[in-house]
Amino acid sequence: MYLKRLLMLNGPNLNLLGKRENEVYGEFTLQDIENEITKLVEDYGYRLDSKQSNHEGELVDILQAADGEYDGVIFNPAAYTHTSVALHDVIKAISLPVIEVHISNIHSREEFRHKSLLASVCYGQIIGFGKQGYRLAALALLPEQK
Ligand code: DQA
């Protein structure tokens, strides 16, 4: 079955983009990112569904339900990147390519952000390119030709 659907999933506090630590995360909102990535994937004939949750278990539920429904996931797990064995396990359990995205360069920040519990089970990781990271992740999941 050819689905042509991508899921963009954002974790805790990313609903606050635009009014949260602008010097780290920029001025743009989550809605701005959603609009931009929706347009990009639609140019390829794909559909984007976008979800955000502040709750670890809900992110697990969304990823479980996504299996078989999407071609790939653009995922910014936010703070759960550094703590969540449950997200590690669900990404390992499903057969979808999941790309881990971080707006900021987590390696140039506090030491507790340097470790990702998810990177080893993700298809790839894109870090430190601001909102451009979501675009790069989408391009990695889309076909080479439009
Ligand atoms: C983040 C980096 C995380 O360390 C942090 O907890 C976030 C956002 C990023 O996109 O740069 O909430 O994932």
Side-chain angles (χ1 to χ4, degrees):
M1 191 168 47
Y2 198 39
L3 300 162
K4 297 182 122 189
R5 289 171 76 191
L6 297 184
L7 174 64
M8 183 166 78
L9 183 58
N10 281 282
N13 301 307
L14 292 168
N15 54 316
L16 300 180
L17 285 175
K19 50 188 177 193
R20 172 194 184 203
E21 296 181 84
N22 290 359
E23 64 295 348
V24 178
Y25 297 116
E27 307 277 325
F28 52 84
T29 65
L30 188 54
Q31 188 64 57
D32 293 334
I33 298 172
E34 284 174 14
N35 294 345
E36 203 175 299
I37 304 308
T38 297
K39 191 171 174 310
L40 172 71
V41 308
E42 283 178 356
D43 282 349
Y44 283 78
Y46 276 59
R47 195 178 107 187
L48 183 80
D49 287 338
S50 184
K51 298 182 182 179
Q52 188 276 331
S53 175
N54 292 325
H55 305 281
E56 185 178 11
E58 195 176 349
L59 292 166
V60 171
D61 287 343
I62 291 168
L63 286 166
Q64 285 187 10
D67 206 12
E69 297 294 320
Y70 294 92
D71 296 291
V73 185
I74 302 160
F75 186 25
N76 186 341
Y80 291 134
T81 306
H82 319 296
T83 62
S84 180
V85 175
L87 286 173
H88 172 105
D89 287 349
V90 71
I91 293 168
K92 197 169 183 179
I94 62 178
S95 50
L96 285 176
V98 176
I99 301 196
E100 180 183 333
V101 173
H102 298 286
I103 295 166
S104 64
N105 181 351
I106 54 176
H107 299 292
S108 66
R109 300 182 63 195
E110 303 97 318
E111 197 160 349
F112 64 83
R113 295 185 202 276
H114 295 183
K115 174 92 185 146
S116 167
L117 296 191
L118 311 183
S120 66
V121 286
C122 283
Y123 178 53
Q125 214 186 10
I126 298 172
I127 293 173
F129 297 111
K131 75 172 158 53
Q132 185 77 350
Y134 290 90
R135 177 176 282 272
L136 295 169
L139 287 171
L141 292 167
L142 288 165
E144 279 182 30
Q145 303 292 326
K146 280 189 193 174

